[in-house]
Amino acid sequence: MNYNTEILTADSSSIRKAAGLIKNGEVVGMPTETVYGLAANALDESAVAKIFIAKGRPQDNPLIVHISCMEMLDGLVTAVPETAVKCAERFWPGPLTMILPKTEKIPSATSAGLDTVGIRMPSNKTARALIDACGLPLAAPSANLSGSPSPTSALHVYDDMNGRIPCILDDGRCAVGVESTVISFEDDAVRLLRPGFISVSDLKEVTENVIVDKGVLDAVSQNAVVASPGMKYKHYSPNADVIIIDGSLDSFRKYVSENSGGNTWCMTFSESDLSGIDCPSVVYGSSDKEQARRIFDALRELDKNGADKVFARCPQKAGVGLAVYNRLLRAAGFQVIRL
Ligand code: TXA
Ligand code: MG
């Protein structure tokens, strides 16, 4: 693993080049509407092994397989429940991953030994063109080093993957900014394993019966048996000690003025949150969608600024805000101060 990593503007010739690399068993940085991914041939065990090495990812954490059309699903899964068909019609292409029973065609390296596989059809044009150019389903986890914030720009990918992969397709900033919603199916119910841009109320348009898994908002122990292995790993962690402050703007300001000092920073909704208070901050937006777009960049920026401690304003816990809160909780190691 000692590549001269190139950042290539995504166009037809760079997509062709990236597809050539993937067909040769290499791993490429791929933009999607959610976050950048590390893409390789999902059906090639040794290519998939390279993803795990590049990321430093635990072997028991399965990868999502990306397809560009429904025909590609044939042969990858043994059954598609009726609710899944409805979800595909309603939300694909888009930021939704569905856990389905896998066929032998998906190597166990991709599914981390599980008998299921996560499938997603991204909407980002470059991702779709790359899958089409390869003519293969692409396994792609987020393109960060394991444990660090997910990348929402080609430069984020470069910061983590320089030397580890041959190239990154640059398609600008990701439109959504947090990873896809992950769901599984039980009888009539949909179980939410990871919240994302497709919200609980969006899913309820397909079925009333949506269960939010306990792992979405609660810490899971390292030894626990979980519905989705990703739940138990430390995630999105900047070097700084992040603490979520859950309360009104007034109580946040009071808390910061009494407790900041040293190299303490804040993560705020807007510039004016801290007016008159002497504490540097990174703004991550005032609507849930804006916060989703900016949260990972904000966490990376705090590290670049050398923040030791970060007081973060708590996002709303509904809509896309549930996804933002879920990521921030992990970045904070579940430290929340309720005021
Ligand atoms: O938006 C996304 O989904 C991005 C882009 C690149 O598409 N990908 C992504 O992959 O976030 P990753 O590997 O960072 O996260 C995949 C999550 C993990 O938490 C993993 O445990 C879970 O999905 N997962 C994958 N396959 C699963 C399965 N068969 N059963 C349960 N959970 C699964
Ligand atoms: Mg990830």
Side-chain angles (χ1 to χ4, degrees):
M1 193 166 53
N2 193 9
Y3 295 95
N4 188 3
T5 307
E6 284 184 290
I7 300 184
L8 305 172
T9 302
D11 58 25
S12 51
S13 90
S14 61
I15 290 170
R16 254 198 320 277
K17 178 171 179 178
L21 286 163
I22 290 175
K23 287 195 273 185
N24 262 325
E26 297 289 343
V27 178
V28 158
M30 168 179 81
T32 83
E33 70 278 20
T34 56
V35 301
Y36 276 73
L38 285 181
N41 178 358
L43 310 181
D44 176 349
E45 204 147 349
S46 63
V48 165
K50 289 184 185 168
I51 294 180
F52 282 85
I53 293 168
K55 267 187 78 87
R57 183 177 178 102
Q59 295 290 339
D60 68 346
N61 198 1
L63 305 178
I64 293 172
V65 172
H66 296 66
I67 59 174
S68 56
C69 61
M70 284 310 272
E71 290 69 50
M72 275 184 110
L73 197 55
D74 288 347
L76 301 182
V77 299
T78 56
V80 185
E82 209 183 305
T83 320
V85 174
K86 287 187 190 154
C87 285
E89 282 167 4
R90 177 85 178 71
F91 303 115
W92 277 0
L96 179 73
T97 296
M98 302 201 272
I99 308 297
L100 297 166
K102 79 169 194 77
T103 63
E104 294 288 297
K105 222 174 143 186
I106 303 275
S108 97
T110 303
S111 67
L114 299 179
D115 53 12
T116 55
V117 61
I119 308 269
R120 160 161 134 75
M121 190 192 290
S123 61
N124 174 279
K125 285 207 179 84
T126 300
R128 297 169 65 73
L130 182 63
I131 300 167
D132 285 342
C134 295
L136 291 165
L138 300 183
S142 52
N144 51 288
L145 285 171
S146 197
S148 62
S150 294
T152 50
S153 72
L155 264 185
H156 292 166
V157 181
Y158 188 82
D159 284 344
D160 281 15
M161 291 297 146
N162 183 17
R164 294 171 174 260
I165 56 175
C167 75
I168 303 161
L169 291 175
D170 184 353
D171 194 19
R173 298 229 160 218
C174 298
V176 170
V178 289
E179 307 87 338
S180 61
T181 305
V182 178
I183 57 173
S184 62
F185 301 91
E186 304 170 359
D187 304 322
D188 298 342
V190 162
R191 177 175 292 273
L192 179 69
L193 302 176
R194 180 175 73 180
F197 189 81
I198 306 296
S199 65
V200 172
S201 56
D202 292 333
L203 293 169
K204 284 192 171 166
E205 286 172 23
V206 173
T207 170
E208 263 307 303
N209 205 346
V210 179
I211 302 161
V212 176
D213 195 273
K214 204 173 166 312
V216 168
L217 292 177
D218 292 338
V220 168
S221 89
Q222 282 295 311
N223 309 320
V225 177
V226 288
S228 183
M231 284 174 172
K232 65 181 184 200
Y233 291 107
K234 195 168 181 227
H235 261 309
Y236 319 120
S237 298
N239 300 321
D241 188 23
V242 178
I243 299 162
I244 301 174
I245 310 296
D246 190 356
S248 65
L249 175 58
D250 279 346
S251 61
F252 177 78
R253 306 183 81 188
K254 184 159 182 285
Y255 188 86
V256 173
S257 20
E258 286 166 2
N259 294 281
S260 62
N263 207 5
T264 301
W265 282 64
C266 284
M267 233 174 110
T268 56
F269 295 166
S270 75
E271 296 288 351
S272 62
D273 285 2
L274 284 180
S275 60
I277 297 170
D278 185 22
C279 183
S281 84
V282 170
V283 172
Y284 79 114
S286 43
S287 72
D288 56 353
K289 293 197 168 110
E290 193 186 355
Q291 289 166 357
R293 264 196 308 276
R294 294 172 69 176
I295 181 172
F296 289 134
D297 186 56
L299 291 170
R300 282 175 181 261
E301 200 181 324
L302 288 161
D303 269 353
K304 284 211 171 114
N305 287 316
D308 289 330
K309 191 185 266 190
V310 175
F311 296 133
R313 283 204 71 190
C314 186
Q316 66 172 53
K317 297 159 195 158
V320 186
L322 183 66
V324 179
Y325 184 59
N326 168 276
R327 305 311 189 271
L328 195 57
L329 264 179
R330 281 161 176 77
F334 292 87
Q335 299 182 88
V336 184
I337 293 177
R338 295 190 172 82
L339 299 174

